[in-house]
Amino acid sequence: MTRNPIPILTYHQVDTPPARGVPYRGLVVSPAVFARQMGLLKMLGYQGLSMTALEPYLRGDKTGKVVGITLDDGYVNNLEHALPVLRHHGFSATCYIVSGQLGGSNVWDHTKGVPPQRLMDTPQLKAWLAGGQEVGAHTRNHVDLLQASDATAREEIIGCRRDLEQQLGVEVRHFCYPYGFHRPEHAAMVREAGYATATTTQRARTQASDDMFELPRVPVLRTTSRAVLWLKVATGYEDRRRA
Ligand SMILES: [Zn+2]
């Protein structure tokens, strides 16, 4: 099978960026910038899709100008600022949720000096779903799988799906490795847990030859201009950054 490369965009927070010098400031895309980036994709004729909507394109069963949109961790600011923009353009996105922190905070980042940010609780996740968006799994506790025992890794991968399905009453079919870190055995665990895809932080657009459980993505940062976003989506700019 051959197909055109498909970019899967990675976002984290969509909010007013914190002060200069705050760690991971680059991962906070302002609502206005996010709106301009989605507007550019629309203008270029791309359809922004959640992982489930993207799946037939990844498998080569459908063709079209499509871009996957993913948001990691499940910040409340995704609901507040990204959802209205996604709906405006008729786009869908997958938000990867840490099921042990529903209504909690990005506790895994606190020791790095990253400001605490609220994560969606169950009613907020239901509002996200009702807005035509999707929820994926990001482990129970945002664990670094490279540091976890196999038993813990399995529990985090399977348990997150079970937690979210129980809380939300929907099927959860997509997984994202916390920090992008994983070994091949974790990809096997994700497959065995019944997920259909898993995304990493490996940089590239996806190719037909990519393993569905080790999909590369395209990072979008606070400073990503529309010109660079176009390069990332429409050219080999990111593919050359593949490790
Ligand atoms: Zn994360």
Side-chain angles (χ1 to χ4, degrees):
M1 180 186 77
T2 58
R3 61 159 172 80
N4 292 329
I6 297 174
I8 301 174
L9 304 181
T10 309
Y11 286 96
H12 288 79
Q13 298 192 49
V14 180
D15 206 355
T16 308
R20 234 173 258 274
V22 171
Y24 297 158
R25 178 176 183 242
L27 297 182
V28 185
V29 175
S30 81
V33 167
F34 183 75
R36 285 201 291 271
Q37 290 173 344
M38 293 301 111
L40 173 76
L41 295 177
K42 185 71 168 206
M43 197 184 73
L44 294 172
Y46 287 98
Q47 179 72 11
L49 297 177
S50 68
M51 291 306 294
T52 290
L54 192 68
E55 242 186 283
Y57 297 90
L58 294 173
R59 296 189 191 284
D61 297 334
K62 269 186 176 180
T63 56
K65 247 179 132 173
V66 293
V67 172
I69 303 176
T70 63
L71 301 113
D72 289 10
D73 304 335
Y75 297 97
V76 173
N77 58 47
N78 294 174
L79 180 69
E80 290 170 340
H81 302 303
L83 179 61
V85 177
L86 294 166
R87 291 193 69 165
H88 174 75
H89 292 298
F91 288 0
S92 57
T94 299
C95 197
Y96 294 115
I97 305 301
V98 180
S99 67
Q101 284 294 331
L102 300 185
S105 177
N106 51 333
V107 290
W108 59 89
D109 273 341
H110 292 176
T111 55
K112 297 173 195 153
V114 179
Q117 280 292 341
R118 281 187 307 139
L119 299 169
M120 286 188 265
D121 59 19
T122 299
Q124 287 167 328
L125 287 171
K126 286 183 173 170
W128 174 258
L129 293 169
Q133 310 304 314
E134 181 175 51
V135 162
H138 201 36
T139 72
R140 279 183 158 157
N141 297 295
H142 207 279
V143 289
D144 174 355
L145 293 173
L146 301 183
Q147 304 296 327
S149 68
D150 281 0
T152 299
R154 199 169 277 114
E155 184 55 32
E156 288 279 339
I157 290 166
I158 295 171
C160 183
R161 181 167 190 232
R162 196 184 304 135
D163 294 346
L164 293 174
E165 291 187 340
Q166 277 174 6
Q167 287 294 317
L168 302 171
V170 295
E171 198 188 357
V172 173
R173 309 185 61 250
H174 304 281
F175 183 83
C176 173
Y177 302 101
Y179 315 98
F181 298 161
H182 74 287
R183 285 191 295 267
E185 55 264 41
H186 299 128
M189 288 177 196
V190 171
R191 182 186 293 108
E192 284 158 18
Y195 294 100
T197 73
T199 48
T200 67
T201 52
Q202 167 80 52
R203 289 177 68 172
R205 298 177 300 171
T206 67
Q207 308 283 346
S209 55
D210 282 320
D211 187 316
M212 291 290 270
F213 296 92
E214 298 187 288
L215 293 169
R217 292 189 291 173
V218 171
V220 187
L221 305 177
R222 187 181 65 82
T223 50
T224 302
S225 67
R226 275 177 290 182
V228 171
L229 181 61
W230 176 80
L231 288 172
K232 283 170 174 270
V233 167
T235 77
Y237 180 92
E238 284 291 322
D239 308 339
R240 289 192 293 276
R241 283 162 176 75
R242 193 168 200 142

